[in-house]
């Protein structure tokens, strides 16, 4: 079964990431801001890790993000929250090359940092769960829209591989209760 974080768990991760503000990496990046930005941008965009690490200043116009996914080449558009834009702006302020996250560290180091953050929160999963969680939460509010958000061309991929159906109990079929008459 597919598992994703609840909205409360995503919020808890972001809050825990903020406790690392002020800690600096070797290249001067604020680790707390970096982790917060990764979590919020990853959640709000549903982007894969490679797309997140490739995002640049030129992809942002006001509160909109426009980029092409590496896997499919599809153009993707997102409206981002003020919180997300503030974090992106803070990351870009120190970026030496216009990348939002990719300038801070490589994949191996980033994954160690995420694993450590998850352990601090006592949560299972990996950064891939940001995409799953966003898709699940969209499906909770707007049936059938997770596949649109994820940008899947093939029908059923979102439903089969990304949505945590345990968080959408109204879709779980249940028989009538035995204990009730009628």
């Amino acid at each position: 079964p597919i598992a994703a974080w609840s909205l409360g768990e995503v919020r808890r991760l972001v809050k825990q990431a903020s406790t690392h503000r002020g800690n600096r990496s070797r290249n001067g990046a604020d680790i707390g801001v970096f982790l917060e930005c990764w979590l919020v941008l990853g959640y709000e965009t549903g982007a894969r890790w490679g797309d997140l690490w490739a995002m640049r200043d030129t992809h942002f116009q006001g509160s909109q993000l426009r980029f092409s996914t590496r896997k499919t080449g599809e153009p993707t558009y997102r409206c981002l929250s003020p919180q997300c834009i503030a974090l992106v702006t803070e990351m870009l302020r120190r970026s030496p090359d216009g990348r939002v996250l990719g300038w801070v560290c490589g994949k191996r180091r980033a994954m160690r940092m995420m694993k450590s953050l998850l352990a601090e929160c006592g949560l299972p999963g990996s950064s891939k769960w940001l995409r799953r969680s966003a898709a699940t939460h969209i499906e909770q509010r707007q049936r059938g829209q997770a596949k649109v958000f994820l940008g899947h061309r093939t029908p059923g991929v979102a439903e089969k591989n990304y949505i945590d159906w345990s968080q959408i109990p109204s879709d779980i079929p249940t028989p009538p209760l035995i204990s009730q008459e009628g």
Side-chain angles (χ1 to χ4, degrees):
I2 301 302
W5 296 310
S6 68
L7 184 55
E9 289 170 330
V10 174
R11 288 177 175 149
R12 195 165 90 213
L13 273 171
V14 174
K15 187 175 181 180
Q16 184 62 32
S18 72
T19 67
H20 293 274
R21 280 185 176 246
N23 297 339
R24 299 267 178 212
S25 67
R26 283 184 221 142
N27 60 3
D30 185 309
I31 298 301
V33 175
F34 166 72
L35 289 169
E36 282 181 83
C37 188
W38 180 6
L39 292 166
V40 174
L41 187 61
Y43 179 80
E44 290 190 15
T45 63
R48 293 174 182 88
W49 185 87
D51 290 330
L52 284 172
W53 251 241
M55 284 182 188
R56 308 185 65 76
D57 51 2
T58 56
H59 295 140
F60 296 86
Q61 294 178 349
S63 64
Q64 283 197 340
L65 169 66
R66 300 171 183 187
F67 69 101
S68 293
T69 61
R70 288 179 166 192
K71 186 172 183 176
T72 64
E74 290 292 314
T76 303
Y77 305 92
R78 297 285 185 261
C79 290
L80 303 173
S81 70
Q83 175 191 18
C84 188
I85 292 299
L87 289 165
V88 167
T89 301
E90 200 166 341
M91 288 302 297
L92 287 172
R93 204 177 345 246
R94 286 194 171 264
S95 176
D97 60 4
R99 289 182 296 161
V100 177
L101 298 170
W103 66 275
V104 176
C105 62
K107 187 172 186 172
R108 179 175 274 161
R109 172 89 173 111
M111 293 307 160
R112 280 195 310 261
M113 290 167 59
M114 180 61 72
K115 187 176 181 179
S116 176
L117 182 64
L118 290 167
E120 289 173 26
C121 290
L123 292 173
S126 69
S127 63
K128 290 180 181 181
W129 285 34
L130 288 169
R131 186 168 160 84
R132 288 183 191 176
S133 300
T136 297
H137 303 155
I138 286 171
E139 197 68 18
Q140 286 172 340
R141 293 176 182 215
Q142 299 170 293
R143 290 289 189 267
Q145 293 303 300
K147 64 183 169 212
V148 174
F149 175 74
L150 295 171
H152 290 145
R153 295 180 188 168
T154 309
V157 173
E159 293 83 354
K160 184 178 178 184
N161 300 303
Y162 286 89
I163 299 170
D164 179 349
W165 292 105
S166 70
Q167 293 189 39
I168 309 174
S170 63
D171 279 6
I172 299 172
T174 55
L177 296 175
I178 294 172
S179 61
Q180 290 183 345
E181 298 275 333

